[in-house]
Amino acid sequence: MKEYRTVAQIAGPLVFVEKTEPVGYNELVNIVTADGTVKRGQVLDTSDEIVVVQVFETTAGIGRDSGIRFTGETIKMPVGKDMLGRILSGGGKPIDGGPEIVPEKRLDITGAAINPYARSSPEDFIQTGISTIDGTNTLVRGQKLPIFSASGLPHNDVALQIARQAKVPGSTEEFAVVFAAMGITREEANQFMADFEKTGALERSVVFLNLADDPAVERTITPRLALTTAEYLAFDLGYHVLVVLTDMTNYCEALRQIGAAREEVPGRRGYPGYMYTDLAGIYERAGIIKGVKGSVTQIPILTMPGDDITHPIPDLTGYITEGQIVVNRELHRKGIYPPINVLPSLSRLMNLGIGEGHTREDHKKVSDQLYAAYAEGNDLRGLVAIVGKDALSERDRMFLEFADLFEDRFVRQGLYEDRSIEETLDLGWELLSTLPEEQLVRIDRELIQKYHPKYRKKAQG
Amino acid sequence: MDKAKENRAQGVLKRISGPVVTAVGLDAHMYDVVKVGNEELMGEVIKIQGENIIIQVYEDTDGIRPGEPVENTGLSLAVELGPGLLTSIYDGIQRPLEVLVDKMGNFIERGVSAPGLSHEKKWEFVPTVKAGDEVKAGDILGTVQETNIVHKVMVPPRSKGGKVKEIAAGSFTVDDTICVLEDGTEIAMLQRWPVRVPRPMKEKLNPDVPLITGQRILDGLFPIAKGGTAAIPGPFGSGKTVTQQQLAKWSDAEIVVYIGCGERGNEMTEVLTEFPELEDPKSGKPLMERTVLIANTSNMPVAAREASVYTGVTIAEYFRDMGYDVSLMADSTSRWAEAMREISSRLEEMPGEEGYPAYLAARLSEFYERAGRTISLNGAAGSVSVIGAVSPPGGDFSEPVTQNTLRIVKVFWALDAKLSQRRHFPAINWLNSYSLYLDSLNDWYDQEVSPEWNPLRAWAMGVLQKEAELQEIVQLVGSDALPDEEQVTIEVARMIREIFLQQNAYDAVDTFCPMSKQYDMMKAIKHYADLARTAQAGGATPQQVISVRSKNELPQIKFIKDYEPALEKILKDMEAEFDAMRAA
């Protein structure tokens, strides 16, 4: 392989190389520094005169005397059966002291788009054991459902609880977990690793770690490596894979950094104009394929800068993903775990995975009624602040109390409390039964007769 | 000389930067389709700068190197039009996705081309003209029973026309000659039309017929005319997609073109699996038989996303020319605008607002202007109604795509995340939405629904408006402080919202509500309001009026197909209750 020593310019993570052979777009590049270390990079722009290389590691040590080797191929990920149980760096190298991965295949990490015609509609209910997800924002296999959080909130605990408890009731197939950390602290990473080890989840996991002090640019490939692995496990080996990506905000920061270094015209808040397409290239790598056994389900986690849901990162994410689970500071302050605010949360695929044959016939109606009643009670809180509780009508007071009860009983649950969907729905009924029956306008009479605790007790007694 | 010219159809690549590449040594015109690289990826010329020909590539450019060949086809980006369009599912550049699965498996690989129409399949052609007839461009030569829709085979719009020499019934592929004119011109069923050029027509008509959608808030309060334009902006999670799918399913257009432009794969799958199963309420056949779907999901190449909107509207215009009413949904035009922005930024163009290209407004208006009710070249009346979704970042309506769209479209259905959080569906805000077609549609409602309808709608809007004002007071002082009369107004407004405006897309009956039922429902609510007013004038308290039990049965009407007897009973009970109140 020819080595060029024609570096013209180095700016941030970018190296500009002159007078090369024709180099392919997105090709993998090895850069050899004076002391012999090899750094990896990728071609961002290629022409007769100049080739722009984005370096995944720090550019420290790279100079005009460095040797540039173009490998002639795009970045590939070696994948194999023995990947489960392994811990890899954000660049895909084993860091658990174990041997190199024995590759069965080498796959392009960009991943091709699944032909929409080849997709099969997601409809298998995943029980996470968390009422606010199962009951009101149901996750289904093949979905991408992000957690929108903010700094200082226990989103990691929520993600861990999901990873620990997720199952498809009545199915014996186990989930494999692919966990990709981007720019999280060593401490957070340790929390994840400790939990994985404790629960034995590590054996069925592949972990990619790019920590806060690892090169930022490397973060741009970490999720792609993780998803390439997930797709291999799912569509080649038939596993149902749950992919946890944390923290996507750090990923987007890295994108912005590269954009700035390339002197691109920035979009909103300095993020590159192609961020939507770029994120779509990650999030869309979830789903089920007709006639293929496995599935990829994604739970990306992001922290909203300034708790702002309209910030470009959560905003663009929400446009691509199928809903969002919003972790809320107010609930956290009230000491409620998991502090999931169901009002702005949403699962777009919920209706495909609930109801008769999936969960229970009353699921949709109960969920709608809980939502509506909680929303009404929550609205009244603002009114109470102005006029006081006494000025409320009898009806309004009941809804106000319902909101408190909902947060305390339905939202709140233990870190290791794994509620079945029946428990969640029955709990919902129990709370709804505090309201007068005629206020349950979203539920048909038949279902009320069948599930309302009042009638159930009668039936039993 | 000729040879030198020939060679210029082949150039070499000079630079590759994502989906935008530069070639040199090539003769090209704007929007020529070119084949890029050894793998012959499809691209389109979008800028000419001296020797440098700048090309947007419709496929992934990974691994392509400078020095690889570029070949100009000399054609512009065009779609194939003819029998076989219906029931098809295409990507943004009219490659049938089903064929792509056969050719390259479950993932979309590059360098595979597939024609938009099957060139092998034979169709039964029945001529409607005979030898000796004079035909001109756009005239109908005959028909093909494509699905339950009759496909009308037309003389291509740019043909000179002339006297028919030979024409015969029979079984033909789209390439076979079906008609020969006196001057020797051979006409096949297949037409190719460049997507960026609107198809010609004779004249545009006024929009005075509504597109009936079966959605109460749309037909009843904010109707769109056939051939009209509408925008649905909505922050994510406000039910925009469901609303659009409802429109595609239920609007009374004969042909539906649905463009999934840069949207979610799973959602497209939902459309792709649902449409074939859905029954068309009019024909009883699968809805898919009158549908063309274009699915270019967010992770498919961005340049193809840019093209998808044009591909869709050209297909829509083609059916319009046959005399059909077509409704075109574009979900979402924001993703389309983002594709323009992305390509513009790769071209290093001077950006306009928020990085969008300065020509954003022009492109949007050009696109929406392709809507309309028209008389086509052959004299048939048809229409293309365009319903575009916009996804304003952060729900901020002041952003360029929403603003530029609102300047053009005539109907605005303001989706509201607050409403969807309360599970009020469709979550269309009745205060912020508008339709500028109300005046031109007045006559239609008078004749087809009832002369009472227009006043009834005005009354309902008045009540909702009044409620909004009253709610502000209620927020401050509580509902008891309102005058008696207004307490009932609030109750009536609640009934309009919960009974009339809320509609359940997932309920077998409520998902489509015919105009006559909408009228009956609204009339029933008005009837209650009138009775209540009379009762109050006779001394009844608001509590008495509000606690009339029979009105609580009204919501059930929504879910009953043959609702008339039930409604009649409720109205009778209601009158009885008010009579009793008066007696007491």
Side-chain angles (χ1 to χ4, degrees), chain A residues 25-26 45-46 113 276-277 315, chain B residues 15-16 62-63 108 262 342 394:
Chain A
Y25 175 72
N26 256 352
D45 195 330
T46 168
Y276 177 83
T277 307
D315 194 55
Chain B
R15 177 182 174 193
I16 299 103
D62 280 5
I108 298 202
E342 198 171 323

Side-chain angles (χ1 to χ4, degrees), chain A residues 253-272:
Chain A
E253 294 300 332
L255 270 192
R256 177 160 71 172
Q257 195 184 332
I258 296 164
R262 289 186 68 187
E263 297 175 6
E264 288 169 347
V265 179
R268 269 200 306 155
R269 302 230 192 158
Y271 293 96

Side-chain angles (χ1 to χ4, degrees), chain A residues 276-289:
Chain A
Y276 177 83
T277 307
D278 189 278
L279 286 174
I282 294 174
Y283 296 141
E284 273 294 336
R285 293 173 78 175
I288 311 174
I289 295 177

